[in-house]
Amino acid sequence: MKIKTRLSLTLSIIASAFFLAFGITVYWLSSNHQKHEFQIRLEERVNITEKIFLEKESFSPAELKKITNQFLHSLPEETEEVVEINPNKEPSFKYNYPKEVLGKLLSLRNLYFEVDKLQGVSKKFRIKGATYLVIVTALDKVALQNLVFLRNIILLLTLFSIPLIFVGSFAITKRMLLPISKKIEKANTISASNIHQRLKVYNPNDELGKLAIAFNNLLNRLEASFESQKAFIRSASHEIRNPVTAIMGEAEITMSKSRTAEEYKRSLSTILIEAEALNSSVNNLLELSKVNAYDGNIEFEKIPFATLLNEIKESFDFINPTNKIKLIIPTQIGNKLISVMGNKNLLKTAIINLYDNACKFSTNQIVSVSLTYDEFRLKLIIKDDGIGILAKDIHKIIAPFYRGNNAIKIKGSGIGLTLSSRIIQLHKGTLKIQSEVNLGTEVHIELPLQSD
């Protein structure tokens, strides 16, 4: 069932139930009010009957008859009687009353009762040591006729109103959901070929406007992702094609004629350099793909960070034996287990890439790596005295395959810094770069500490 139909039915049922409940409540309140008003009139009749009975000796028969005709028998089907209550004698009633009413009439001083549509009021009083019971009953015909009329009006209004409510609910719901339907039609026309199109936002403050804004923001992110993917593929193709072309070209030239042993060595050395560059690019691409596809399955463990830095230094010494990386780990940190929650292999990859950049762009000059911490975070600063990064490139340098103008001639894949940044993000940390051209670069890494 469509939302439009479900919403229309829900609104119709609620409105109809409210209308019906309102009608029943009005009828019930009117009925109770009429009964209460008639009860008051009956009580007045009882009081009049009592007074007439008490003072009948002071009136002549003609006056008593006139008063009786004037004040009594003015209600429809009214009956009244005064009965003496004698404990030793069964009272004799002029009119028949139900058994359950008779018991209450004799036991209670005042009583209001109903017998079918007939209403009655009774009252006990004493005269000269004797107890008397006044009983007045009557039928409120006018009220009953009014109630029948009110009931019929409510039923007719209900029968006519409920279909109108259903029709009105469908019309109103259709009109209210029309903007959503139009937005759905528009959204269905947007594909990869025209992803630049956007939904119109008429009122940014209502729910439909916020929905359109959220959808447009999603399209913005998708479009940026598509563009980034295209740029990534173009750059990756370029980075892979160049070494492959160089390898093939060098091999073809070498194989074109006989060479000396020294020439073969030079050619193989060139091929090896290009193959290493290709291997580095492919490995970084695979690592970046793995990290970008992270779905929560990477295992994290508690890692003593000072120990990890020493292990990374040993690994990097094997990769670049001529490096001049200097670890600065204060004694209090070295002696204390300052730990982070992370994946050891990923953190090694991230920091080795940063070491490699620092050494490469400073031509293997001294690179200082200092470790500090505060109450909540661990801080690692990697500082080199290399060529630095241009101010206009500093915010773009983390993008895949982006290389600064002053670093184009230096061999590299352009992925290492992107990979390191993504790994630090996965560890809920931050990576910031400060640099000045020809004065060097500082990479600041912060990671949340793992409490003991």
Side-chain angles (χ1 to χ4, degrees):
M1 185 184 293
K2 292 183 178 180
I3 292 178
K4 178 172 62 178
T5 305
R6 189 164 63 245
L7 185 59
S8 299
L9 288 174
T10 302
L11 290 175
S12 301
I13 291 171
I14 292 174
S16 300
F18 178 80
F19 189 86
L20 192 60
F22 177 78
I24 293 172
T25 302
V26 169
Y27 181 83
W28 179 77
L29 291 175
S30 298
S31 176
N32 284 346
H33 177 72
Q34 295 287 357
K35 287 180 180 179
H36 180 69
E37 290 293 319
F38 198 66
Q39 179 183 346
I40 293 174
R41 294 176 66 184
L42 289 176
E43 288 172 352
E44 291 175 353
R45 286 288 187 273
V46 167
N47 293 331
I48 292 172
T49 302
E50 179 186 356
K51 288 181 180 181
I52 292 174
F53 187 83
L54 290 173
E55 299 177 13
K56 63 181 179 179
E57 295 178 355
S58 61
F59 298 108
S60 64
E63 290 175 331
L64 184 62
K65 183 176 181 181
K66 181 179 180 181
I67 292 172
T68 302
N69 291 333
Q70 182 177 354
F71 290 100
L72 300 180
H73 298 291
S74 60
L75 295 177
E77 299 185 24
E78 181 178 355
T79 66
E80 69 280 333
E81 62 177 309
V82 179
V83 181
E84 183 179 358
I85 304 298
N86 191 335
N88 302 320
K89 184 180 178 182
E90 188 74 21
S92 177
F93 292 99
K94 186 193 306 184
Y95 303 100
N96 294 324
Y97 304 102
K99 290 183 179 180
E100 61 272 15
V101 174
L102 279 175
K104 293 179 181 180
L105 286 172
L106 297 174
S107 61
L108 297 177
R109 179 176 176 80
N110 294 285
L111 176 67
Y112 169 77
F113 59 91
E114 294 182 24
V115 180
D116 294 328
K117 296 180 180 180
L118 200 68
Q119 295 174 248
V121 172
S122 69
K123 181 180 178 181
K124 286 183 181 179
F125 63 93
R126 294 179 64 83
I127 299 177
K128 299 177 182 180
T131 302
Y132 294 90
L133 177 65
V134 180
I135 306 171
V136 177
T137 65
L139 184 66
D140 194 355
K141 287 186 176 181
V142 175
L144 291 173
Q145 290 172 355
N146 290 337
L147 286 174
V148 170
F149 178 75
L150 178 61
R151 182 191 63 197
N152 293 338
I153 289 295
I154 291 173
L155 288 174
L156 286 173
L157 287 175
T158 302
L159 291 174
F160 281 106
S161 297
I162 288 178
L164 291 176
I165 289 173
F166 272 83
V167 173
S169 297
F170 275 94
I172 292 171
T173 304
K174 183 178 180 181
R175 183 176 179 82
M176 289 177 63
L177 296 180
L178 184 61
I180 296 180
S181 299
K182 290 183 177 180
K183 283 179 171 53
I184 292 172
E185 291 176 3
K186 177 65 176 178
N188 286 332
T189 64
I190 299 174
S191 62
S193 60
N194 61 344
I195 198 170
H196 60 278
Q197 294 189 13
R198 297 293 182 267
L199 300 182
K200 288 184 179 180
V201 179
Y202 295 100
N203 183 357
N205 296 319
D206 65 10
E207 286 75 8
L208 292 180
K210 291 178 181 179
L211 176 64
I213 290 172
F215 187 79
N216 288 340
N217 289 337
L218 172 62
L219 290 177
N220 290 337
R221 293 192 294 271
L222 287 174
E223 186 176 13
S225 177
F226 287 166
E227 292 300 325
S228 175
Q229 186 180 43
K230 290 177 183 178
F232 182 87
I233 292 172
R234 286 194 300 268
S235 301
S237 300
H238 175 75
E239 292 295 328
I240 293 174
R241 188 182 294 114
N242 283 351
V244 171
T245 302
I247 291 171
M248 292 177 63
E250 186 67 26
E252 287 175 0
I253 292 172
T254 303
M255 294 293 293
S256 64
K257 63 178 181 178
S258 297
R259 306 281 179 178
T260 63
E262 190 63 30
E263 288 175 329
Y264 279 124
K265 285 182 180 180
R266 274 200 309 271
S267 179
L268 288 174
S269 177
T270 301
I271 291 173
L272 179 60
I273 292 171
E274 296 296 337
E276 287 176 347
L278 177 61
N279 182 62
S280 175
S281 295
V282 170
N283 285 337
N284 280 332
L285 282 171
L286 291 174
E287 287 292 333
L288 184 60
S289 174
K290 176 183 176 182
V291 171
N292 283 335
Y294 168 67
D295 59 359
N297 293 325
I298 296 177
E299 294 184 359
F300 280 45
E301 61 181 320
K302 190 174 180 180
I303 305 171
F305 203 77
T307 304
L308 177 65
L309 283 181
N310 288 315
E311 291 179 10
I312 293 172
K313 178 65 168 65
E314 292 178 6
S315 299
F316 192 68
D317 286 343
F318 180 79
I319 298 171
N320 182 358
T322 62
N323 77 82
K324 295 178 183 178
I325 290 178
K326 182 181 179 182
L327 290 179
I328 304 172
I329 303 176
T331 305
Q332 66 270 25
I333 297 180
N335 295 335
K336 188 175 181 181
L337 293 178
I338 304 300
S339 303
V340 298
M341 284 298 294
N343 183 283
K344 184 179 288 188
N345 292 331
L346 288 179
L347 286 174
K348 276 187 175 182
T349 299
I351 295 174
I352 284 175
N353 279 334
L354 296 174
Y355 284 180
D356 185 56
N357 281 348
C359 293
K360 183 166 53 180
F361 293 109
S362 66
T363 60
N364 266 350
Q365 296 180 41
I366 294 176
V367 175
S368 65
V369 179
S370 56
L371 179 64
T372 60
Y373 72 99
D374 58 24
E375 186 178 357
F376 302 105
R377 300 180 77 79
L378 176 147
K379 301 176 182 180
L380 183 69
I381 301 175
I382 303 172
K383 183 179 184 302
D384 67 65
D385 297 320
I387 62 174
I389 303 170
L390 296 173
K392 68 183 182 66
D393 296 329
I394 198 77
H395 299 295
K396 306 174 186 177
I397 202 70
I398 293 180
F401 301 108
Y402 187 89
R403 309 192 71 191
N405 290 335
N406 61 339
I408 292 176
K409 294 181 180 180
I410 299 175
K411 286 234 177 241
S413 64
I415 308 173
L417 193 56
T418 305
L419 179 59
S420 297
S421 175
R422 180 67 180 124
I423 290 173
I424 298 301
Q425 286 178 6
L426 283 180
H427 287 77
K428 296 181 172 56
T430 59
L431 185 150
K432 297 179 181 178
I433 301 173
Q434 299 175 359
S435 184
E436 291 187 35
V437 177
N438 298 325
L439 293 179
T441 301
E442 286 187 13
V443 178
H444 294 251
I445 297 173
E446 292 188 6
L447 292 170
L449 281 177
Q450 174 64 26
S451 57
D452 295 332

